[in-house]
Amino acid sequence: EKTSAGMSGLHFGMYKAHTLRPHLSALDASMRSVAYTTGFSYARWKKGLDVQLLKKKQDFRADKLRTILLLEADYNMNNKALGTDTMRIGERHRAFSRDNYGGRKGHRATEVALNSCLTYDSARGRRRRLIVVSNDARGCYDRIAHTVLHLAMRRLGVPRPALQSMIDTIQTMDHYIRTAFGTSRGKYGWDISLIPTQGILQGNGSGPAGWFAISSVIIQAMCDAGFGYSDWTVIRKIAINLAAFAFVDDTDLIHTNPSTNISTEEFIHEAQQMVSKWHGLLRYTG
């Protein structure tokens, strides 16, 4: 088994082996189902292991490393089930923004690039002013506010107990650090006197779905504020309204103004308002 898990030593390979024995498989399923349907969190789940990975080959600078959290295998399997339920419900009810392609079945990053190029070509052919601002939300998974996450996922109909189990575990988790010298004896994290830890954690199986639920609301807020690109398709004459070209947290904000009388300074001012609006929405959500 190559996939690492938490500190208990119960790894994914063990749970895969249990599927070959009906009584063990039933036991594993019942333990996870109790947490998923009641909101319970096992004490074993509340120990996480921080591990640093290289973002770039041979670049060992501390600020250039990516910290992921190794979670207990059965806890993360519940999180993955929660993420799958979130995406299935959102797609069924068409509650997701069409502007974000990350984490969705049948959607690829290359399609984001293609759609953006086609939009630029369309605007150029119609001699319309267009401005694009590229933004990468730094550490978006680690900064998600749990209240916002809860509301965004409940909006899609995600079960409350499953959310409670995931969030309570994150807020009361003790973090240990693993380096080349082994696992630390000391820990950091939960303290009853401090504000609960936020974020959905790097390595959480429901992280992409949680961010997608929040980003759909943010992108809709941008459209409601009047920012984006609105036009008719050339061939089928279908009205389109885009606020961004997004793949997970990498976002190209797009804005146009159909008026021919607006000056360049006024148009740039509108673009600045768009960026400020996006910045504010990211801050409000964590």
Side-chain angles (χ1 to χ4, degrees):
E1 179 59 53
K2 296 181 180 180
T3 305
S4 300
M7 297 182 62
S8 68
L10 304 178
H11 56 82
F12 287 97
M14 186 198 74
Y15 291 101
K16 291 177 182 177
H18 283 183
T19 61
L20 303 177
R21 296 290 185 269
H23 62 288
L24 293 176
S25 179
L27 175 62
D28 290 342
S30 63
M31 292 186 66
R32 292 196 296 274
S33 296
V34 165
Y36 199 86
T37 57
T38 67
F40 183 73
S41 175
Y42 297 101
R44 174 171 53 84
W45 290 0
K46 299 178 181 180
K47 293 183 179 180
L49 194 56
D50 291 348
V51 178
Q52 299 276 7
L53 299 180
L54 293 177
K55 284 186 177 181
K56 296 181 179 180
K57 188 177 181 179
Q58 299 300 318
D59 190 346
F60 295 96
R61 289 175 293 176
D63 60 334
K64 299 299 181 181
L65 299 176
R66 180 187 300 278
T67 302
I68 66 166
L69 189 61
L70 299 183
L71 304 169
E72 288 299 313
D74 49 345
Y75 170 60
N76 215 11
M77 282 189 277
N78 267 18
N79 293 342
K80 291 178 180 179
L82 178 60
T84 300
D85 289 344
T86 301
M87 298 304 295
R88 185 180 66 251
I89 295 171
E91 295 287 4
R92 183 171 67 234
H93 295 289
R94 298 183 179 181
F96 288 145
S97 168
R98 295 181 301 173
D99 300 35
N100 197 337
Y101 279 43
R104 303 177 69 179
K105 287 186 177 181
H107 293 71
R108 299 170 298 177
T110 53
E111 294 168 346
V112 181
L114 174 61
N115 290 340
S116 61
C117 287
L118 292 175
T119 303
Y120 304 155
D121 290 343
S122 176
R124 186 181 300 110
R126 301 180 191 199
R127 302 182 65 83
R128 294 186 59 177
R129 291 184 174 181
L130 183 73
I131 192 164
V132 178
V133 180
S134 298
N135 173 263
D136 181 2
R138 183 177 181 181
C140 69
Y141 284 13
D142 297 323
R143 299 171 184 266
I144 289 176
H146 288 165
T147 301
V148 176
L149 174 68
H150 191 277
L151 292 173
M153 297 184 77
R154 285 289 294 156
R155 162 181 171 266
L156 302 174
V158 175
R160 188 190 304 272
L163 269 172
Q164 179 182 341
S165 176
M166 180 184 71
I167 292 176
D168 285 354
T169 302
I170 294 174
Q171 291 187 348
T172 57
M173 183 176 291
D174 290 326
H175 293 253
Y176 296 82
I177 300 174
R178 174 173 290 174
T179 67
F181 297 98
T183 302
S184 65
R185 295 181 181 178
K187 62 184 180 180
Y188 72 96
W190 182 71
D191 189 328
I192 195 172
S193 64
L194 301 176
I195 297 175
T197 303
Q198 302 294 296
I200 204 170
L201 308 178
Q202 296 282 353
N204 188 331
S206 64
W211 170 251
F212 203 95
I214 293 174
S215 66
S216 294
V217 177
I218 295 176
I219 291 174
Q220 184 58 51
M222 295 294 292
C223 292
D224 293 342
F227 300 111
Y229 178 83
S230 300
D231 212 332
W232 297 86
T233 58
V234 177
I235 299 175
R236 300 181 62 185
K237 302 300 180 183
I238 298 175
I240 58 173
N241 185 23
L242 302 172
F245 297 106
F247 195 86
V248 191
D249 61 335
D250 293 330
T251 307
D252 287 345
L253 302 172
I254 185 171
H255 182 62
T256 187
N257 191 316
S259 174
T260 58
N261 297 323
I262 186 173
S263 66
T264 300
E265 289 75 14
E266 292 173 324
F267 188 49
I268 293 176
H269 178 67
E270 287 185 0
Q272 179 59 57
Q273 290 179 318
M274 174 185 69
V275 175
S276 299
K277 180 73 172 180
W278 181 257
H279 173 253
L281 290 168
L282 289 179
R283 287 186 62 86
Y284 297 152
T285 55

